[in-house]
Amino acid sequence: MSEALLLLAIHKMENCLSYKDERDEEIEMIIKEMREIVDIVRDKKLEDGRILNFLVSGLVNVADEAINLFKEVYTSRWDLASIHSWMGKIKKRMLELGDDVPNMTSSKNVDDEENDNYVVGLEGDVKFLLRKRIIGDGELTWPVVIKGMAGIGKTTLAREIFNHPTIVKHFDRRAWVSNCTHFITAEELLIKVIQQVVVEDPQNLHTSSLLENMDNASLRDMLSQHLQGKRYLIVLDDVPKEMSLISIFQALPLEENGSRLLLTSHTTPLDIPLDYQGVYKMKFLDSKNSWQLFLKTINHGNKLTGEHKFPMHLEHMGKQMLRKCGGLPLAIKEVAKQLAEKKVSGGSEWEQLLESVDFGSTLKLLEPFYLQLDPKLQSCFLSMAFFKENTTLRAEKLIQIWVTGGVVEDSEDGCGRILEDLVNDSFIDYVNDKRTKYIMNVVLHMLSIQKAEEKLGFEILRNNGNNRPSESPPHHRVIICSRDKFNYSTDQDKLLVSLFFHGGGYLDASPSYWKSFEKLKILDLEDFGLKVLPESIGTLMELIYLGLRNNYIKELPETLGWLKKLEVLDIAQNFMVEVPVVIWELHSLRQLYMSNLICRKPLNIDTLEYLGTLTYVTIDNCIILISGLRMFSVFKKLGIEGLDGNSDVSKLFVSLADLFLDHLILRGYRFRSMPCLDELGILQSVRTLKLDGLLATLPNNLPPNIESLTLIDSCLDEDPMPLLAEKLPKLKYLKLHNAYTGQQMVILDDSFPLLQILCIEELWNLRNVHCGKYAMRTLEKLEIHDCPYLDTVPEEIVMLACFKELKMVTTKSIATKMRDSNLRIVNSPFGGCVFVNDI
């Protein structure tokens, strides 16, 4: 019977294959996996038992889910890869089946478990979730999801909620199912919940053996029957992305009595939309709470008493060490336990112990989450080792490095999806609301380095001599320099693909050093403090990416023109750098980033037929270039600087209208007013617009399809909101930075119907924001920075159905005034206070 069901599922999936879709490969892998499982069932001669039936049922459900995902137009191959991964877990469980099958359905209520965890910094999270997510009426439609990086404290937070006196009193039935990551079938999940919600069972009808003989539908009916009319809370702890929640959804009665389903996960399960509003994202501990957790862990429960306890005079040294933990509770506890054990066993001085902290045990605990990633995401994660820890990374640069290194294909949509998947799986996080900048936790960065050394042929060289020699010639290298002379070796350079320089800016390499890189594709010297780019750079004939941003380079050598394969050249933020004419002979260029450049001869871009990004050029140079740009259908992003009252923007906009620009940046001179921009409206294709400079008035005509608008240093006397609401109905993101000098801001009724994020910064005179009825009804986030007279937030905004988050950096007096409001307060790194409201 089991074999027949599996073969039928395989037949259904085979009918899906189109042999034209890139996702066919994933379906074929799933089919191959299922055929191997059929062989396991046949070869092991497994009889139809309760566990086998559960596993077969799970496989059939997974196959159906794969088919449904495949039929969805926007489903990616990575979603199907997640299904394949979950199927692998079923296969592993099936291989373990034998004559003596362990009972996998027994469950222990969390109330009976020994709880020796130290809870620090979660009071605000508990209070907020109880008030805004858990306690209340309404029908159960989607679950509440507590999400965050592995080890951040999701289970601890869920346990605090589950055992909270208010929860115990409020709910008639509670159930907790833990360790969902270790494969559990839908039937086993239902059985575990049933055993906890059935309080009275005089006839022993709900024992494991009886329940295990029931099918999925019967278990769902039983659970639904016992929960009917009851207010319940069910917690599923550590839910993996691939786990199907359909059975539990179908079993829960939908009554408007305030029942809740709570999940914890490091990712968003496939059954839940990525943009689901009920996801509560946990944050890392700040320095104060990190120190408290460290002290509690090291001094209590680690056999340290009296004079052996951690000495408070070493608090500064201890906090310096804790910076390497990045606010991750798992790392903090592991470090504290490690130090306590060494103190008890060896009696070493605390100073020595702090200097010898090893994060190996922490990385070992995080490794399984890395192994669960799709192989392509693993490769992208490993490349994070190339960058400095705690560094903000531009999305454009990450994608360029991935593409150049052959990690991903050159697809804007595909690369964007990888970034979103890494964020969704809690491996990186976005820094700004436009999701153009990202950051990785310092502990995960350590893991990326460790795995890159194992998998990629990666090495880090320091000029202090503290280096580990590579067992084989490396493919990727980071050089960390200081002002001391660096002894460069050319013994292992022949296979090097990427080279990143961090640190001091003192680069004394000889021409022969550069000639040794025969296969180098990526050279990154961003933020290095470099003053002179050597002539021998032209010998890197295979170079595709050259990053020189934010240095002190005054002149680029003529030999740059020898780099015929160069696709990305970033020389932005080098003040008044002289660019040779040969730059226009780099026919393969796709992205060119410049600013404040000096050109001895007119720019000529006709030969750069693959160019898609060009920032920044002066308006005069831009007008010269337009004739060459018209033929380029791939050209999407343009940045123009140097606009003032004398600039002829009419001619510029008419010329730009022939392009299919998606992203336009216009930047003026400081303290000079930009020209009238009323003719911007003819740029129909522009969706992202940034205006950086003084404006006498806001343009009366704006591109109608704008979705993202940023106004910087506009210093408008008139409130811009009414005109923006009228002209930009498709606006989703709006940032106003020193853009308005008035005291009142009015957001009219029914305005900004699609706006999701509003940021207002440095509006020094702003005192009141008036929000009309049904205005910004899709707003998810409001961010306020440095508006010293704005001491209230419109209730209409806070009460919006979609509203998730309010961040406010303000003065201490305003912070004190708002401290008793419905906002969760955390410390600001800028000295004020940040109010965070994750509604």
Side-chain angles (χ1 to χ4, degrees):
M1 180 64 179
S2 299
E3 184 177 339
L5 289 172
L6 293 176
L7 290 173
L8 179 60
I10 291 172
H11 178 70
K12 289 181 180 179
M13 283 192 290
E14 286 177 335
N15 289 337
C16 285
L17 293 176
S18 64
Y19 300 104
K20 296 179 181 179
D21 195 310
E22 65 172 7
R23 300 171 302 170
D24 286 351
E25 182 180 349
E26 298 297 336
I27 288 289
E28 288 170 352
M29 291 177 65
I30 293 174
I31 292 173
K32 180 181 177 182
E33 193 83 67
M34 288 199 70
R35 289 196 181 280
E36 292 178 1
I37 292 173
V38 171
D39 292 338
I40 292 171
V41 174
R42 186 184 297 122
D43 294 345
K44 293 189 71 171
K45 298 180 180 178
L46 297 175
E47 297 181 0
D48 285 356
R50 60 186 184 276
I51 301 298
L52 180 61
N53 289 337
F54 289 168
L55 294 173
V56 170
S57 175
L59 280 166
V60 172
N61 289 335
V62 167
D64 288 340
E65 190 165 352
I67 292 171
N68 292 333
L69 281 172
F70 187 81
K71 291 178 179 178
E72 292 289 336
V73 176
Y74 298 106
T75 299
S76 75
R77 60 186 306 174
W78 297 300
D79 291 328
L80 293 171
S82 297
I83 294 290
H84 183 221
S85 171
W86 189 245
M87 189 169 287
K89 294 180 181 180
I90 301 177
K91 177 184 174 181
K92 180 180 178 182
R93 177 86 182 274
M94 196 169 283
L95 282 168
E96 296 170 351
L97 288 180
D99 296 332
D100 184 17
V101 180
N103 189 337
M104 300 294 291
T105 59
S106 61
S107 179
K108 188 177 182 181
N109 192 293
V110 71
D111 292 327
D112 301 325
E113 295 180 3
E114 184 180 355
N115 183 7
D116 59 356
N117 287 315
Y118 301 108
V119 180
V120 172
L122 296 181
E123 298 84 358
D125 302 86
V126 172
K127 181 180 177 181
F128 171 78
L129 284 169
L130 289 180
R131 184 179 70 247
K132 296 292 185 179
R133 292 281 199 270
I134 309 296
I135 303 297
D137 296 329
E139 183 179 273
L140 172 69
T141 53
W142 289 100
V144 177
V145 181
I146 298 176
K147 178 182 169 183
M149 174 185 162
I152 202 171
K154 302 181 295 294
T155 300
T156 303
L157 175 57
R159 186 184 291 117
E160 288 292 297
I161 292 170
F162 189 80
N163 292 325
H164 196 279
T166 303
I167 292 293
V168 175
K169 181 179 179 181
H170 184 75
F171 290 97
D172 304 315
R173 298 288 186 269
R174 294 180 301 139
W176 178 291
V177 181
S178 15
N179 298 321
C180 295
T181 298
H182 302 293
F183 176 76
I184 179 174
T185 66
E187 289 79 6
E188 290 169 323
L189 173 62
L190 291 169
I191 289 171
K192 289 189 176 193
V193 176
I194 289 172
Q195 289 176 325
Q196 296 179 64
V197 299
V198 178
V199 178
E200 298 179 0
D201 185 16
Q203 298 181 354
N204 261 349
L205 297 177
H206 304 100
T207 60
S208 296
S209 57
L210 290 174
L211 291 173
E212 288 167 1
N213 289 320
M214 300 174 66
D215 60 18
N216 190 292
S218 300
L219 290 170
R220 291 201 309 266
D221 290 342
M222 176 178 287
L223 179 57
S224 180
Q225 178 183 351
H226 281 284
L227 292 179
Q228 203 74 41
K230 302 288 193 303
R231 184 188 291 130
Y232 56 84
L233 171 66
I234 297 174
V235 179
L236 305 183
D237 182 37
D238 208 5
V239 176
K241 181 177 182 178
E242 313 91 342
M243 181 177 176
S244 176
L245 300 171
I246 294 176
S247 290
I248 193 73
F249 286 161
Q250 293 175 339
L252 300 179
L254 300 179
E255 299 178 311
E256 294 191 7
N257 62 358
S259 294
R260 295 290 183 266
L261 174 63
L262 175 63
L263 313 179
T264 73
S265 180
H266 71 280
T267 185
T268 303
L270 281 176
D271 292 331
I272 298 175
L274 285 178
D275 57 352
Y276 173 52
Q277 304 296 321
V279 174
Y280 184 81
K281 197 169 183 177
M282 290 194 67
K283 297 174 175 60
F284 298 102
L285 297 179
D286 59 19
S287 59
K288 179 181 177 181
N289 285 317
S290 294
W291 181 244
Q292 289 181 2
L293 180 59
F294 173 77
L295 289 180
K296 283 188 175 184
T297 306
I298 198 169
N299 288 333
H300 306 287
N302 283 291
K303 301 179 182 178
L304 294 182
T305 58
E307 69 277 5
H308 292 296
K309 287 190 174 183
F310 189 85
M312 293 309 296
H313 72 272
L314 293 179
E315 179 177 347
H316 177 73
M317 188 175 180
K319 287 183 176 180
Q320 288 292 108
M321 180 272 300
L322 282 183
R323 288 185 178 182
K324 299 179 181 178
C325 296
L328 184 68
L330 172 68
I332 296 168
K333 292 179 181 179
E334 285 294 308
V335 164
K337 292 175 183 177
Q338 176 190 146
L339 291 172
E341 290 171 2
K342 288 183 177 179
K343 185 65 177 177
V344 170
S345 61
S348 302
E349 294 297 326
W350 280 111
E351 290 90 340
Q352 297 174 334
L353 293 176
L354 288 172
E355 291 174 352
S356 63
V357 168
D358 178 20
F359 286 85
S361 60
T362 302
L363 301 185
K364 193 167 186 64
L365 291 171
L366 294 175
E367 185 176 3
F369 295 91
Y370 155 75
L371 294 174
Q372 291 173 14
L373 283 173
D374 174 81
K376 192 175 291 287
L377 294 182
Q378 284 185 5
S379 298
C380 293
F381 170 73
L382 296 183
S383 68
M384 304 298 284
F386 305 158
F387 306 101
K388 299 176 186 177
E389 66 179 37
N390 285 328
T391 297
T392 299
L393 298 168
R394 301 186 308 280
E396 285 180 322
K397 181 173 181 177
L398 277 174
I399 291 171
Q400 288 158 2
I401 297 298
W402 291 341
V403 172
T404 304
V407 177
V408 298
E409 297 175 358
D410 189 4
S411 165
E412 184 177 346
D413 293 336
C415 293
R417 180 58 190 263
I418 287 176
L419 282 168
E420 288 303 305
D421 282 348
L422 286 172
V423 171
N424 185 44
D425 290 344
S426 301
F427 278 85
I428 62 174
D429 201 1
Y430 52 87
V431 175
N432 60 352
D433 295 312
K434 295 177 72 174
R435 305 199 177 191
T436 57
K437 295 181 180 179
Y438 294 83
I439 195 167
M440 173 179 281
N441 181 271
V442 63
V443 181
L444 280 176
H445 186 259
M446 291 184 205
L447 181 63
S448 71
I449 291 175
Q450 182 189 83
K451 290 301 168 185
E453 290 175 339
E454 295 175 7
K455 306 287 185 181
L456 294 183
F458 171 69
E459 68 174 9
I460 298 177
L461 298 182
R462 298 174 175 84
N463 63 346
N464 60 10
N466 185 19
N467 298 308
R468 229 179 19 232
S470 301
E471 296 180 1
S472 58
H475 291 81
H476 310 275
R477 178 184 294 162
V478 165
I479 296 179
I480 301 178
C481 299
S482 69
R483 293 295 176 182
D484 298 328
K485 185 177 178 64
F486 193 93
N487 295 319
Y488 298 100
S489 171
T490 59
D491 295 337
Q492 293 185 308
D493 298 338
K494 302 297 184 184
L495 300 179
L496 211 61
V497 175
S498 62
L499 179 59
F500 292 76
F501 283 85
H502 299 166
Y506 184 69
L507 188 61
D508 59 343
S510 64
S512 61
Y513 173 73
W514 296 108
K515 292 177 182 179
S516 64
F517 301 114
E518 297 177 358
K519 297 186 177 181
L520 195 67
K521 294 182 178 180
I522 300 171
L523 176 59
D524 186 55
L525 290 146
E526 183 172 341
D527 300 326
F528 189 65
L530 190 67
K531 294 182 179 179
V532 178
L533 188 66
E535 293 278 345
S536 48
I537 195 76
T539 62
L540 305 178
M541 305 299 290
E542 299 297 316
L543 205 62
I544 296 176
Y545 177 96
L546 179 56
L548 303 171
R549 180 180 291 240
N550 194 27
N551 282 285
Y552 302 104
I553 300 171
K554 296 296 184 183
E555 182 179 2
L556 296 180
E558 294 282 342
T559 54
L560 198 69
W562 300 353
L563 306 180
K564 300 302 183 183
K565 294 185 179 181
L566 197 65
E567 296 181 5
V568 181
L569 176 58
D570 190 347
I571 54 175
Q573 299 178 27
N574 285 273
F575 185 69
M576 302 306 289
V577 59
E578 185 171 340
V579 179
V581 175
V582 294
I583 198 172
W584 311 115
E585 298 176 8
L586 301 176
H587 306 308
S588 298
L589 270 183
R590 295 175 181 268
Q591 282 93 31
L592 177 56
Y593 303 90
M594 307 181 294
S595 58
N596 297 310
L597 68 154
I598 300 173
C599 297
R600 300 299 182 188
K601 295 182 180 181
L603 302 181
N604 182 3
I605 205 170
D606 291 352
T607 58
L608 306 183
E609 58 181 308
Y610 301 110
L611 196 66
T613 299
L614 176 61
T615 63
Y616 286 92
V617 292
T618 64
I619 183 171
D620 295 332
N621 283 329
C622 185
I623 292 175
I624 295 173
L625 295 174
I626 294 302
S627 60
L629 289 174
R630 285 179 185 161
M631 66 183 72
F632 299 155
S633 59
V634 296
F635 198 82
K636 296 296 181 183
K637 182 176 180 179
L638 176 64
I640 305 172
E641 63 184 0
L643 277 73
D644 62 16
N646 298 319
S647 300
D648 185 2
V649 292
S650 298
K651 183 178 179 181
L652 172 68
F653 294 153
V654 170
S655 301
L656 291 179
D658 293 334
L659 303 176
F660 294 96
L661 278 179
D662 178 78
H663 192 150
L664 177 63
I665 307 169
L666 300 178
R667 177 187 291 174
Y669 288 104
R670 193 174 185 182
F671 305 124
R672 289 196 210 172
S673 183
M674 294 175 69
C676 177
L677 302 176
D678 284 347
E679 295 178 56
L680 262 174
I682 65 174
L683 305 181
Q684 298 284 318
S685 62
V686 172
R687 293 189 302 170
T688 299
L689 177 64
K690 179 178 180 181
L691 303 180
D692 184 352
L694 285 171
L695 290 173
T697 59
L698 198 64
N700 283 321
N701 294 304
L702 289 164
N705 295 310
I706 287 182
E707 297 178 2
S708 173
L709 175 64
T710 301
L711 299 179
I712 298 179
D713 294 333
S714 304
C715 298
L716 295 163
D717 296 327
E718 186 177 349
D719 182 3
M721 300 305 275
L723 182 60
L724 293 178
E726 176 188 352
K727 300 294 183 179
L728 303 179
K730 298 181 181 180
L731 199 62
K732 296 180 180 179
Y733 173 91
L734 176 59
K735 180 177 181 179
L736 304 175
H737 179 100
N738 191 25
Y740 173 47
T741 60
Q743 298 183 9
Q744 309 292 326
M745 180 178 288
V746 178
I747 304 172
L748 301 174
D749 293 354
D750 297 305
S751 59
F752 300 111
L754 301 179
L755 192 66
Q756 298 173 0
I757 298 169
L758 173 60
C759 302
I760 54 177
E761 302 176 355
E762 298 185 16
L763 303 190
W764 304 109
N765 299 321
L766 187 64
R767 283 164 168 76
N768 291 293
V769 177
H770 302 280
C771 189
K773 189 176 182 181
Y774 304 124
M776 305 187 298
R777 53 182 176 269
T778 60
L779 192 71
E780 298 178 7
K781 181 176 181 179
L782 172 62
E783 190 163 344
I784 302 172
H785 286 257
D786 299 318
C787 299
Y789 295 107
L790 185 62
D791 58 0
T792 60
V793 177
E795 184 178 352
E796 293 86 353
I797 293 179
V798 178
M799 298 304 294
L800 288 169
C802 294
F803 194 64
K804 292 171 57 180
E805 186 174 357
L806 166 64
K807 288 187 177 180
M808 189 170 185
V809 179
T810 186
T811 62
K812 288 185 178 180
S813 60
I814 295 178
T816 302
K817 177 179 178 179
M818 300 182 71
R819 193 168 295 276
D820 295 329
S821 65
N822 291 328
L823 304 177
R824 180 164 57 88
I825 303 173
V826 298
N827 291 331
S828 165
F830 306 106
C833 287
V834 179
F835 297 83
V836 183
N837 190 21
D838 294 326
I839 293 178

